[in-house]
């Protein structure tokens, strides 16, 4: 798994699925294996398993909301981004987070 | 799908000076079409969501939504404004002219929520947004938003 992501918005109805679809599509186009969970009006959709979470290189949280079940991602580099940026520039988000995480790892 | 969105819920000949006017129109139609029983509550719910973060997207599209007890039946209204609506923040600074308004009862079924989700998710496709902008009749708008292919 290259990365996992979670999207969530105030109503959990419109922006959550949009951002999820945008990130999935971008990952596909970039040739990356990813799973995007939606925490929205229907609860957790496409839920990331603890195994998937731990196999990911990083976690993108496209939200300013409180995220449920964060304990799955213990030890996984996590970056929060604006959900609108995920919708508008999903490829740039993935690229930027990927580089930031790599830089963070290199600095260790 | 048909009970949530219909050609009769499409309004292409409006012109709003600001978001207030647009939301007042949507709230009025929500009651007139029998989806809600309280215009003021619908408008307040639209305002409430907008106050959290703008629902303006790209290519002049906005997706305001209201979740309130005053709404009895889930529905999607499509409203087009002849002129861009000033003061409605969008992701690409293009003024809103295409409004996809979602009316959501509290405690909606998962099936209805999924249908509403699909409406917005489809707008990720640039082709979809362009087709929406190019659509001129209620039939065309309906076909684009419901994913039906036009021949």
């Amino acid at each position: 798994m290259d990365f996992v992501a979670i999207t969530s918005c105030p109503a959990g109805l419109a922006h959550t699925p949009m951002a999820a679809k945008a990130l999935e599509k971008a990952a596909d186009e970039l040739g990356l294996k990813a799973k995007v969970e939606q925490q929205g009006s229907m609860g957790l959709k496409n839920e990331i398993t603890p195994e998937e979470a731990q196999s990911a290189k990083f976690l993108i949280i496209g939200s300013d909301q409180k995220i449920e079940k964060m304990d799955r991602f213990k030890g996984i580099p996590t970056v929060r981004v604006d959900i609108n940026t995920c919708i508008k520039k999903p490829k740039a988000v993935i690229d930027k987070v990927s580089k930031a995480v790599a830089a963070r790892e290199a600095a260790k | 799908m048909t009970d949530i969105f219909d050609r009769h819920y499409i309004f292409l000949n409006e012109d709003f000076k600001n978001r207030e006017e647009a939301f007042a129109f949507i709230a009025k139609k929500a009651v007139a079409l029998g989806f809600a029983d309280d215009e003021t509550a619908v408008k307040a719910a639209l305002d409430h969501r907008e106050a959290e973060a703008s629902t303006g997207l790209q290519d002049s599209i906005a997706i305001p939504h209201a979740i309130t007890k005053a709404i009895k039946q889930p529905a999607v209204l499509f409203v087009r404004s002849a002129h861009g609506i000033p003061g409605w923040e969008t992701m690409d600074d293009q003024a809103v002219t295409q409004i996809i308004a979602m009316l959501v009862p509290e405690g909606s079924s998962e099936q209805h929520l999924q249908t509403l989700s699909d409406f917005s998710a489809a707008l990720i496709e640039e082709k979809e947004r362009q087709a929406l902008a190019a659509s001129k009749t209620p039939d065309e708008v309906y076909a684009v938003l419901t994913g039906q292919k036009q021949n």
Side-chain angles (χ1 to χ4, degrees):
Chain A
M1 189 77 74
D2 288 302
F3 73 92
V4 286
I6 296 175
T7 61
S8 184
C9 62
L13 180 74
H15 293 75
T16 298
M18 283 185 86
K21 195 175 168 195
L23 288 171
E24 282 164 359
K25 200 179 151 200
D28 212 34
E29 286 169 11
L30 293 166
L32 299 174
K33 194 169 171 349
K35 183 165 180 177
V36 186
E37 173 179 301
Q38 300 177 34
Q39 295 196 4
S41 55
M42 288 171 280
L44 270 57
K45 223 185 126 191
N46 201 28
E47 186 172 342
I48 297 162
T49 67
E51 292 74 30
E52 287 167 337
Q54 286 301 318
S55 78
K57 288 179 192 142
F58 56 86
L59 165 68
I60 298 174
I61 297 178
S63 179
D64 55 6
Q65 307 287 304
K66 190 178 182 303
I67 299 299
E68 285 175 44
K69 296 195 181 178
M70 274 304 288
D71 52 334
R72 286 171 293 177
F73 305 100
K74 200 165 186 289
I76 304 297
T78 300
V79 178
R80 265 192 191 259
V81 289
D82 183 67
I83 191 163
N84 284 346
T85 316
C86 294
I87 292 172
K88 196 181 166 189
K89 293 180 175 166
K91 274 188 194 167
V93 165
I94 295 167
D95 190 48
K96 221 171 162 180
V97 172
S98 166
K99 281 179 182 148
V101 168
R104 213 189 279 177
E105 291 300 304
K108 272 185 187 170
Chain B
M1 172 67 80
T2 43
D3 58 339
I4 283 193
F5 188 53
D6 186 271
R7 287 167 183 79
H8 297 109
Y9 312 162
I10 299 172
F11 307 91
L12 301 179
N13 303 309
E14 304 307 318
D15 195 5
F16 305 114
K17 286 191 198 66
N18 50 47
R19 196 167 65 200
E20 287 290 301
E21 274 190 16
F23 283 4
F25 177 85
I26 291 161
K28 199 174 137 192
K29 287 295 172 192
V31 173
L33 290 163
F35 303 133
D37 59 10
D38 183 344
E39 224 176 284
T40 313
V42 174
K43 168 124 186 345
L46 288 167
D47 285 335
H48 176 77
R49 170 59 186 83
E50 214 66 37
E52 296 210 41
S54 174
T55 60
L57 301 176
Q58 308 165 75
D59 295 325
S60 301
I61 297 171
I63 45 166
H65 33 291
I67 303 177
T68 163
K69 277 185 290 199
I71 295 169
K72 305 300 177 193
Q73 192 188 322
V76 173
L77 307 188
F78 180 81
V79 190
R80 182 174 284 159
S81 177
H83 294 94
I85 299 169
W88 195 341
E89 197 186 318
T90 61
M91 293 178 189
D92 57 4
D93 294 326
Q94 283 195 57
V96 173
T97 55
Q98 326 258 14
I99 306 168
I100 301 169
M102 300 187 183
L103 306 171
V104 190
E106 267 180 24
S108 287
S109 71
E110 187 159 333
Q111 190 199 340
H112 282 144
L113 292 170
Q114 185 60 52
T115 305
L116 293 166
S117 283
D118 292 344
F119 264 91
S120 42
L123 298 170
I124 283 301
E125 306 291 342
E126 198 178 351
K127 257 168 46 188
E128 170 103 1
R129 299 197 299 267
Q130 285 169 351
L132 186 63
S135 59
K136 291 194 169 50
T137 66
D139 277 349
E140 286 173 8
V141 171
Y142 184 82
V144 170
L145 289 179
T146 55
Q148 291 176 359
K149 293 275 169 288
Q150 288 265 91
N151 289 319

